[in-house]
Amino acid sequence: MNTKIRQQNGISILEPNGKIMGTAASELWEVISPQIEASDTPRILINFEHVHKIDSSGLGALMIARAAIARKKGRVGVINLSKQISNLIVLSRLASLFERYDTEDAAVSALAA
């Protein structure tokens, strides 16, 4: 799995690519972790546009990241969830833990506020 990282208005935007399963989940955490540590109140947006599949390991990595961000009173948003990923998050009862946005512009605007 490959993850692009860019910054916009103080928001770290992560764009993982491929499947977030097994060892790729650990790779995702390794990418997110420095973004969380770099800020007193991290604001992170994860764009799932190029993620084809996620499993329980991937959800676990997202939950660890979410907990670390919450401890620092930060915020995490998600965009472009596929139907499979959205269903998995809803069925796992995790939907309320992530701020979901329809577009990147809307997410950046809301997270920057």
Side-chain angles (χ1 to χ4, degrees):
M1 183 192 72
N2 183 22
T3 302
K4 293 180 186 176
I5 304 170
R6 57 190 168 86
Q7 301 289 323
Q8 184 177 338
N9 292 350
I11 313 292
S12 296
I13 302 172
L14 283 66
E15 298 177 338
N17 190 349
K19 297 177 183 178
I20 304 175
M21 302 173 71
T23 58
S26 299
E27 292 171 18
L28 180 62
W29 170 245
E30 290 172 9
V31 170
I32 293 175
S33 180
Q35 302 304 312
I36 296 169
E37 294 304 316
S39 175
D40 291 334
T41 54
R43 290 170 291 160
I44 295 177
L45 176 63
I46 305 172
N47 183 347
F48 284 93
E49 183 175 8
H50 301 290
V51 174
H52 310 296
K53 205 169 198 184
I54 189 168
D55 69 0
S56 59
S57 299
L59 282 180
L62 291 174
M63 293 311 305
I64 291 168
R66 171 36 175 98
I69 292 166
R71 278 192 298 275
K72 294 181 91 173
K73 309 247 188 279
R75 296 172 65 189
V76 61
V78 295
I79 57 172
N80 296 320
L81 296 173
S82 71
K83 185 171 180 142
Q84 183 264 340
I85 295 170
S86 182
N87 287 344
L88 183 61
I89 289 173
V90 169
L91 289 172
S92 302
R93 296 187 175 150
L94 304 175
S96 64
L97 300 179
F98 298 98
E99 298 178 45
R100 295 171 70 175
Y101 299 97
D102 293 329
T103 66
E104 183 175 307
D105 288 341
V108 168
S109 181
L111 292 172

